[in-house]
Amino acid sequence: MSVLIKPIITEKMTADSELFNRYGFYVDPTANKLQIKEAVETTYGVSVEKVRTMNYGPNRKSRYTKTGIQHGKTNALKKAIVDVAEGDIIDFYSNL
């Protein structure tokens, strides 16, 4: 499986990419910072200076129905914030 799952494209991450050259990605929960750095460098052709990661656990929910209590949870995910070098940019919208 690939280390990078998908980029995070939100208003906050777009502002961070324009101001600070930081880009966000959803990554494989078992990936470490070195693997994330290598994957971003090979995929987008940029030089990565710093990688920060965040682990989010699953959100557990329960519903009360007429058949009883239904339990469920969302998936656990991991985010990575990647700082790239000063002159490099990542264009998520190009159709290469």
Side-chain angles (χ1 to χ4, degrees), residues 33-87:
K33 291 182 180 184
L34 296 175
Q35 292 171 334
I36 295 167
K37 178 180 178 178
E38 183 180 325
V40 170
E41 285 177 345
T42 56
T43 304
Y44 295 104
V46 296
S47 59
V48 174
E49 291 181 347
K50 189 178 194 179
V51 177
R52 293 184 296 250
T53 58
M54 297 171 271
N55 278 310
Y56 288 95
N59 292 331
R60 300 182 191 286
K61 296 180 181 180
S62 60
R63 291 187 304 238
Y64 298 99
T65 63
K66 63 183 177 182
T67 60
I69 299 174
Q70 301 291 319
H71 297 285
K73 68 178 182 67
T74 60
N75 292 332
L77 41 103
K78 186 174 191 175
K79 292 182 186 179
I81 307 300
V82 176
D83 290 358
V84 299
E86 188 63 34

Side-chain angles (χ1 to χ4, degrees), residues 1 8 10-11 13 16 22-23 27-28 34 40 42 47 68-69 79 84-85 87 91:
M1 178 162 167
I8 301 171
T10 60
E11 188 173 350
M13 283 310 306
D16 263 4
R22 288 185 199 140
Y23 298 93
V27 296
D28 184 29
L34 296 175
V40 170
T42 56
S47 59
I69 299 174
K79 292 182 186 179
V84 299
D91 188 14

